[in-house]
């Protein structure tokens, strides 16, 4: 048997010249390929996938990418080429966020969405966001700092406007209306608009230049006419005015009659009960008795504790305006629980009142209490007293009352029933 040797003449791929190779490429989020390279062996230009193949490793993220050329067909061996993958510029991304926000009194951080083409970037992985000037009304700033496969920063601004206003109360008045809205410490002032049209065409505007003024009475309008009303806050920062959102629109019909001309009857001073005290009042206008809840509403203030209480009658419907009346809440009437004679005097036990500052005991030799003497007890916890140095074997008439000091005024309750005692 004869053995015949077979010789091959394959060329080494490492002896080829390579042109068009890029030493660096920029991150795209996809696999990077060196599509522009050309291999030549002498005067022969090689063909991809006929004379050689190309494979890649680590060719997506920022860092060192690797290209491996492997000879096939008439070529053998491999060549490994490294190239740098550089971060993509932040300026090539798109940033989305809400650039108009409302004041809250706390730092405002708009949500940020960053995309690269159709791809959403991940916060804390591809970028971070920092904020400044983002609490007070005005222009806030945020800096988006990129990292990882991206580099650079993008600065964006957003505007913080006064918070949306709120109409807390809108009441009819005679040929006008009363409005109470939310007071905003962050505001410079407020803007009030009213119109007979719901679209506010031809609206009248009132500027309230103090942020502490959160109530306004508008007068000299047409009686019996419906008006649409809204209000907003404004803040001036470095000479620029920032307007908040308008409140929800409310409407009110101006009153035809001025309730301030009405008469109010039935208000009397009353004694302390520990509960809110009301009155049975009657309101008449030109001889007509008005109806509570239809023509007016009644509100009370300071009407539980001893002192001066307030009644406010506010017109409603066809009646507008306010009537303010007051009445006094006095300490509750006292009660003598025990009255006993002692030598040249008497012992008295009366009701203890937690609402009282103290008590007054009055005694006299006659029931009309002419030339009466008074003993003042300055502690409300002292509900017993022995009075001496009087005449022996003498009849005395006795009574007691509570008193309460509040502010600069002292209020006295009713005297108890009169009792009499014959001293020893």
């Amino acid at each position: 048997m004869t053995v015949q040797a077979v010789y091959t003449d394959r060329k080494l791929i490492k002896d080829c010249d390579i042109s068009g190779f890029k030493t660096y490429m920029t991150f795209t989020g996809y696999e990077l390929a060196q599509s522009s390279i050309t291999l030549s062996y002498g005067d022969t230009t090689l063909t991809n996938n006929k004379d050689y193949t190309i494979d890649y490793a680590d060719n997506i993220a920022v860092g060192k990418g690797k290209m491996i050329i492997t000879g096939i067909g008439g070529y053998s061996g491999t060549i490994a080429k490294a190239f740098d993958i550089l971060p993509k510029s932040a300026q090539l991304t798109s940033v989305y966020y809400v650039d108009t926000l409302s004041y809250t009194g706390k730092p405002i951080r708009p949500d940020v969405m960053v995309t690269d083409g159709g791809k959403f970037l991940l916060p804390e992985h591809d970028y971070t966001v920092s904020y400044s000037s983002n609490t007070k009304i005005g222009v806030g700033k945020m800096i988006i700092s990129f990292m990882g496969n991206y580099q650079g920063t993008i600065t964006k601004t957003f505007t913080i406007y006064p918070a949306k206003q709120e109409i807390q109360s809108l009441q009819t008045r005679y040929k006008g209306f009363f409005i109470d809205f939310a007071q905003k410490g962050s505001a410079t002032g407020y803007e009030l608009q009213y119109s007979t049209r719901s679209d506010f065409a031809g609206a009248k505007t009132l500027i309230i230049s103090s942020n502490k003024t959160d109530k306004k009475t508008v007068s000299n309008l047409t009686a019996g006419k419906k008006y649409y009303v809204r209000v907003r806050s404004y803040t001036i920062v470095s000479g620029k005015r920032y307007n908040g959102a308008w409140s929800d629109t409310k409407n009110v019909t101006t009153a035809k009659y001025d309730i301030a001309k009405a008469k109010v009857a039935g208000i009397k001073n009353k004694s302390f009960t520990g509960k809110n005290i009301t009155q049975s009042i009657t309101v008449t206008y030109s001889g007509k008795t008005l109806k509570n809840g239809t023509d007016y509403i009644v509100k009370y203030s300071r009407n539980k504790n001893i002192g001066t209480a307030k009644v406010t009658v506010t017109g409603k419907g066809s009646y507008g305006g306010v009537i303010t009346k007051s009445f006094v809440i006095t300490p509750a009437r006292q009660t003598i629980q025990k009255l006993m004679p002692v030598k040249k005097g008497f012992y008295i036990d009366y009701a203890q009142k937690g609402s009282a500052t103290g008590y007054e005991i009055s005694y006299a030799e006659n029931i009309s209490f002419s030339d009466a003497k008074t003993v003042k007890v300055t502690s409300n916890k002292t509900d017993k007293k022995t009075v001496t140095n009087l005449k022996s074997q003498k009849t005395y008439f006795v009574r007691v009352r509570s008193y309460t000091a509040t502010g600069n005024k002292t209020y006295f309750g009713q005297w108890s029933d009169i009792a009499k005692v014959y001293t020893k």
Side-chain angles (χ1 to χ4, degrees):
M1 181 177 66
T2 302
V3 178
Q4 184 176 0
V6 178
Y7 297 93
T8 61
D9 188 18
R10 301 183 70 190
K11 304 174 182 66
L12 295 176
I13 201 76
K14 69 176 183 177
D15 294 332
C16 292
D17 293 324
I18 301 175
S19 61
F21 176 76
K22 299 176 181 178
T23 57
Y24 66 88
M25 301 181 76
T26 300
F27 171 81
T28 65
Y30 303 97
E31 291 188 352
L32 296 173
Q34 300 262 4
S35 58
S36 60
I37 69 166
T38 300
L39 272 66
S40 58
Y41 191 91
D43 295 332
T44 303
T45 300
L46 277 61
T47 303
N48 189 13
N49 291 323
K50 177 182 177 184
D51 301 315
Y52 64 91
T53 59
I54 301 178
D55 295 302
Y56 295 91
D58 302 324
N59 63 326
I60 298 178
V62 167
K64 286 286 186 180
K66 184 185 290 185
M67 180 180 71
I68 302 169
I69 304 173
T70 302
I72 59 175
Y75 298 86
S76 64
T78 60
I79 300 174
K81 302 281 286 184
F83 58 94
D84 292 319
I85 302 176
L86 305 179
K88 188 172 185 177
S89 171
Q91 305 304 319
L92 299 176
T93 65
S94 299
V95 178
Y96 303 93
Y97 67 102
V98 176
D99 61 358
T100 57
L101 302 108
S102 294
Y103 173 85
T104 64
K106 299 179 180 179
I108 291 177
R109 301 178 179 88
D111 291 331
V112 174
M113 182 175 68
V114 183
T115 62
D116 179 7
K119 177 186 175 183
F120 290 92
L121 274 59
L122 300 176
E124 306 302 327
H125 180 270
D126 298 314
Y127 64 91
T128 60
V129 184
S130 60
Y131 301 87
S132 61
S133 303
N134 62 324
T135 300
K136 296 181 179 179
I137 292 168
V139 178
K141 184 170 76 171
M142 61 183 177
I143 298 176
I144 306 165
S145 302
F146 289 79
M147 58 187 179
N149 294 315
Y150 299 86
Q151 66 178 357
T153 61
I154 294 177
T155 300
K156 296 288 187 180
T157 60
F158 53 93
T159 305
I160 302 174
Y161 290 97
K164 182 179 179 179
Q165 256 295 346
E166 177 187 0
I167 296 176
Q168 297 174 324
S169 178
L170 184 62
Q171 301 172 8
T172 186
R173 291 292 187 267
Y174 175 60
K175 292 186 177 181
F177 61 85
F178 166 81
I179 183 172
D180 183 349
F181 48 89
Q183 185 179 116
K184 305 289 187 181
S186 60
T188 301
Y190 312 99
E191 184 176 350
L192 171 66
Q193 279 193 345
Y194 58 93
S195 174
T196 56
R197 292 180 47 159
S198 59
D199 61 0
F200 285 86
K204 301 292 185 181
T205 301
L206 295 178
I207 300 296
I208 301 170
S209 58
S210 170
N211 71 345
K212 297 186 184 301
T213 303
D214 57 357
K215 300 174 179 64
K216 185 71 175 177
T217 298
V218 178
S219 305
N220 299 319
L221 304 182
T222 303
K225 189 77 172 178
K226 179 187 283 189
Y227 285 85
Y228 296 88
V229 185
R230 64 184 181 181
V231 63
R232 66 180 177 183
S233 304
Y234 71 87
T235 300
I236 297 176
V237 180
S238 300
K240 184 176 180 179
R241 173 170 163 159
Y242 295 86
N243 294 319
W246 288 108
S247 66
D248 292 338
T249 299
K250 292 190 176 183
N251 65 76
V252 61
T253 300
T254 56
K256 295 180 180 180
Y257 308 105
D258 186 2
I259 204 168
K261 297 178 181 179
K263 295 179 179 179
V264 179
I267 296 178
K268 301 176 182 178
N269 294 339
K270 294 194 175 185
S271 297
F272 176 82
T273 64
K275 300 178 181 180
N276 289 326
I277 294 175
T278 59
Q279 300 278 349
S280 298
I281 69 172
T282 301
V283 181
T284 57
Y285 186 93
S286 297
K288 176 186 176 182
T289 300
L290 304 186
K291 187 175 181 180
N292 188 9
T294 301
D295 301 317
Y296 65 90
I297 56 174
V298 180
K299 289 187 178 180
Y300 296 87
S301 60
R302 303 191 300 272
N303 63 323
K304 182 177 181 179
N305 297 324
I306 293 168
T308 301
K310 182 179 175 183
V311 186
T312 303
V313 179
T314 303
K316 185 179 179 183
S318 296
Y319 297 85
V322 176
I323 300 174
T324 302
K325 298 288 184 179
S326 62
F327 62 93
V328 175
I329 300 175
T330 59
R333 186 180 185 186
Q334 259 292 350
T335 302
I336 296 176
Q337 297 173 327
K338 184 181 291 187
L339 183 63
M340 298 174 57
V342 298
K343 186 176 181 180
K344 290 187 177 184
F346 61 85
Y347 166 84
I348 184 173
D349 184 349
Y350 46 87
Q352 185 182 117
K353 304 290 186 182
S355 60
T357 301
Y359 312 97
E360 282 189 348
I361 303 167
S362 178
Y363 60 92
E365 295 180 17
N366 56 79
I367 198 168
S368 63
F369 281 84
S370 58
D371 299 322
K373 304 292 184 182
T374 300
V375 176
K376 189 172 185 179
V377 180
T378 58
S379 171
N380 72 343
K381 297 183 185 301
T382 303
D383 57 356
K384 301 173 180 64
K385 187 71 175 176
T386 299
V387 179
T388 58
N389 298 321
L390 305 183
K391 297 176 182 179
S392 63
Q393 297 182 342
K394 183 71 176 178
T395 298
Y396 284 88
F397 296 89
V398 183
R399 62 186 180 180
V400 63
R401 68 179 177 181
S402 303
Y403 72 88
T404 300
T406 176
N408 297 321
K409 193 168 183 179
T410 300
Y411 297 87
F412 293 93
Q414 294 184 50
W415 289 109
S416 65
D417 289 338
I418 298 171
K420 62 182 180 178
V421 63
Y422 187 75
T423 60
K424 293 181 180 180

